[in-house]
Amino acid sequence: MKTGKRLNIRSARYKRNRKKLPLWIAFSFSLFTFHSISAQQLESYINEAQNNNPELRAYNSRVDIAREKVEEVNSLPDTELSAGIFVSEPETRTGPQTARFSVRQMLPWFGTIDAREKAAGAMVNVEDIEADIARRKIALAVSQNYYQLYALQEKQEVLQENIDLLELYHQLALNSVEAGNASAIEVLRLKMRQNELKEQQEILGFKYNSKKVEFNKVLNREVTLQVALPDTLAIDAADTIAVSGNIEVNPEILKFDGLSESILQAEALNQKEALPKLGLGLDYVNVAKRTDMEMSDNGKDILMPMVSVSIPIFSNKYRSVTRQNEIRQQEVAQKREDKLNQLQSRLEAAMNARSSAIVSWKVQLDNLEQARNAEEILIKTYETGRLDFDDVLDIQELQLKIQMNLIDAVVEYYQETAMIEYFLGTDK
């Protein structure tokens, strides 16, 4: 009887270990497979979110509007047309004037329109960077939710394995009670522990469904759609946290560089606006013929080309704009420095958290091996005598805690990696 039960327990442990082997022990065999398959799946979700997310669509619309602004400023002021009829016709030598028609066109100083285009183009760049920031934040949100979903899925599976194992121990305890080697209290404790794990599993199921809704909302798709998740995530034990990149190319920093450039272009435009403006015009006066006498040029119409110059004598407003632009440059520089400090601090925290995750993962691997050695010793004691079910519960609880910590360490590693990629401005 004991031998048969021992074989059942060992068979169950072998299946559990074989199923979880890539995560706990043979990470090197599954790492490449995950990177080639799971990474592709995650990138597919990121692309879907970037194509469908309404917030990103709104940012793209802002970029389109900014581009249209370039076309808007690439034009001359409105042409003025006027017409008038003389109520009391003024007499001239060649006849009375009956009507006047005028056309006027103001022209900005040379290079002003080009300065306007550059100023508007600088704002297009700023809006494009804002859209890039939004794209990267969406990619980060998709990645974070993806790994959180994986953790919830994996923890449910681990709980199910422990529930199944406890069921074997529960049956073993019933047999021991019949043989007089265990008490009914030990059977009840095993059953209660099993019920506790079922409760945790059900709660995780609710959290998984909630997180799945959140994930699908980011992708702007039906909330009931399933999410394809990897069977196993692994950490490269040889990872030395060698991360390349420059935080100053992060779009959140480049945005301030773009704003600084836009202020420079706005000031260049202000200087052009402070220059004189030219005006060209043409007046046409209709003259009626005189009926009281015949003469040369009788009734000859009047055609008068005109040139005008608009001189900004009172230029206080242009000096004020220049001063405002200087202050804006100072403000942008200060904000850029503050944002750079924030990102560097957050990057350092992410790097440390990623390193800590690798350390924790390695320690938990060793702890799990020790816990399973203890479990093996317990099984051997069952072969020779009474099995201590208090020790069984302690070892099972310890192993479950280690398994959960392993999942948390792996997910923390990938979440912090995604965060580092965001800070360093690298593309997904």
Side-chain angles (χ1 to χ4, degrees):
M1 178 69 69
K2 289 183 180 180
T3 302
K5 290 299 180 182
R6 173 177 59 80
L7 291 176
N8 286 341
I9 292 174
R10 285 187 168 177
S11 176
R13 289 179 67 251
Y14 168 74
K15 292 178 181 178
R16 177 186 56 169
N17 293 345
R18 183 179 61 178
K19 181 176 184 297
K20 305 308 293 181
L21 185 62
L23 179 58
W24 313 130
I25 307 296
F27 50 84
S28 59
F29 295 103
S30 63
L31 184 60
F32 177 78
T33 302
F34 162 71
H35 281 164
S36 61
I37 298 177
S38 180
Q40 292 178 2
Q41 182 63 62
L42 175 56
E43 182 157 355
S44 174
Y45 284 136
I46 290 174
N47 291 334
E48 184 177 352
Q50 291 177 340
N51 291 330
N52 299 335
N53 188 272
E55 181 184 5
L56 289 179
R57 288 178 178 176
Y59 274 104
N60 291 333
S61 296
R62 287 173 54 179
V63 174
D64 293 338
I65 292 171
R67 289 197 177 102
E68 287 299 322
K69 285 285 185 181
V70 177
E71 297 298 323
E72 176 186 335
V73 300
N74 185 20
S75 60
L76 295 173
D78 294 340
T79 302
E80 297 181 12
L81 297 173
S82 62
I85 299 176
F86 292 101
V87 177
S88 176
E89 297 178 351
E91 290 287 345
T92 66
R93 184 183 68 83
T94 58
Q97 298 179 11
T98 60
R100 179 188 294 269
F101 302 92
S102 300
V103 58
R104 297 284 187 277
Q105 179 63 62
M106 296 301 296
L107 301 173
W109 194 257
F110 303 103
T112 301
I113 292 180
D114 184 59
R116 289 176 183 169
E117 289 181 355
K118 289 181 179 179
M123 291 309 301
V124 172
N125 184 49
V126 172
E127 292 293 349
D128 196 43
I129 294 174
E130 290 279 11
D132 190 34
I133 293 172
R135 280 191 292 270
R136 292 173 182 275
K137 286 184 176 179
I138 289 297
L140 180 61
V142 171
S143 299
Q144 301 285 28
N145 283 326
Y146 182 82
Y147 296 130
Q148 290 169 16
L149 277 172
Y150 167 79
L152 292 170
Q153 170 189 272
E154 195 72 5
K155 287 180 178 181
Q156 289 182 78
E157 293 181 2
V158 166
L159 284 170
Q160 185 60 52
E161 292 165 7
N162 280 267
I163 290 170
D164 294 340
L165 185 61
L166 283 173
E167 180 61 29
L168 289 174
Y169 282 124
H170 178 257
Q171 294 299 323
L172 187 58
L174 289 175
N175 293 334
S176 296
V177 169
E178 293 176 1
N181 294 326
S183 68
I185 294 177
E186 291 173 319
V187 175
L188 293 175
R189 288 186 62 197
L190 286 167
K191 192 63 178 177
M192 285 188 293
R193 177 59 180 164
Q194 195 177 28
N195 290 338
E196 288 175 1
L197 298 188
K198 289 180 179 179
E199 178 188 10
Q200 293 179 32
Q201 187 183 45
E202 189 172 357
I203 292 173
L204 287 177
F206 291 135
K207 291 181 178 180
Y208 179 88
N209 291 333
S210 177
K211 182 59 66 173
K212 184 180 71 173
V213 170
E214 182 180 347
F215 182 87
N216 286 326
K217 281 295 184 181
V218 175
L219 272 64
N220 195 32
R221 64 179 192 172
E222 291 294 330
V223 297
T224 56
L225 290 178
Q226 296 300 317
V227 181
L229 297 170
D231 292 331
T232 298
L233 286 179
I235 296 177
D236 184 0
D239 194 335
T240 58
I241 317 298
V243 181
S244 61
N246 182 2
I247 197 169
E248 294 205 19
V249 301
N250 184 284
E252 292 195 45
I253 301 300
L254 294 179
K255 178 182 72 172
F256 294 105
D257 296 337
L259 287 172
S260 179
E261 178 63 22
S262 71
I263 295 172
L264 287 176
Q265 296 299 333
E267 177 55 28
L269 175 59
N270 179 56
Q271 295 298 324
K272 290 292 185 181
E273 296 284 0
L275 296 174
K277 297 176 181 61
L278 302 177
L280 299 177
L282 184 66
D283 279 3
Y284 169 77
V285 180
N286 181 258
V287 179
K289 288 185 177 183
R290 294 184 63 171
T291 59
D292 58 341
M293 61 181 298
E294 288 293 334
M295 58 180 298
S296 61
D297 295 334
N298 187 18
K300 184 177 182 179
D301 296 337
I302 302 172
L303 191 63
M304 184 173 60
M306 300 182 65
V307 177
S308 63
V309 178
S310 173
I311 302 175
I313 298 176
F314 305 101
S315 56
N316 287 339
K317 70 173 184 178
Y318 300 108
R319 287 195 292 269
S320 175
V321 170
T322 296
R323 181 57 183 156
Q324 291 175 44
N325 287 331
E326 291 173 353
I327 297 173
R328 289 194 182 99
Q329 284 286 24
Q330 295 173 8
E331 177 190 14
V332 168
Q334 292 162 356
K335 286 185 175 180
R336 184 187 189 281
E337 183 180 3
D338 179 60
K339 177 60 71 173
L340 182 60
N341 290 337
Q342 291 180 25
L343 293 187
Q344 287 175 335
S345 297
R346 292 166 62 189
L347 172 62
E348 188 65 26
M351 295 280 286
N352 290 333
R354 188 168 179 257
S355 299
S356 298
I358 294 179
V359 172
S360 176
W361 176 73
K362 292 178 179 178
V363 170
Q364 297 304 323
L365 278 177
D366 183 65
N367 287 343
L368 183 62
E369 185 67 22
Q370 300 304 321
R372 285 183 172 167
N373 288 339
E375 183 184 21
E376 186 70 25
I377 293 173
L378 279 177
I379 293 174
K380 288 182 179 179
T381 62
Y382 176 67
E383 297 174 5
T384 59
R386 175 187 173 91
L387 179 62
D388 191 328
F389 288 99
D390 287 338
D391 290 342
V392 167
L393 284 171
D394 290 342
I395 292 298
Q396 182 276 326
E397 185 175 357
L398 178 60
Q399 286 195 52
L400 177 60
K401 180 180 178 181
I402 295 171
Q403 287 174 311
M404 293 297 193
N405 288 341
L406 270 168
I407 295 171
D408 289 337
V410 171
V411 171
E412 178 77 4
Y413 170 85
Y414 280 99
Q415 285 188 316
E416 297 303 329
T417 299
M419 187 71 72
I420 292 168
E421 289 173 347
Y422 173 82
F423 289 141
L424 294 180
T426 55
D427 291 321
K428 293 294 289 182

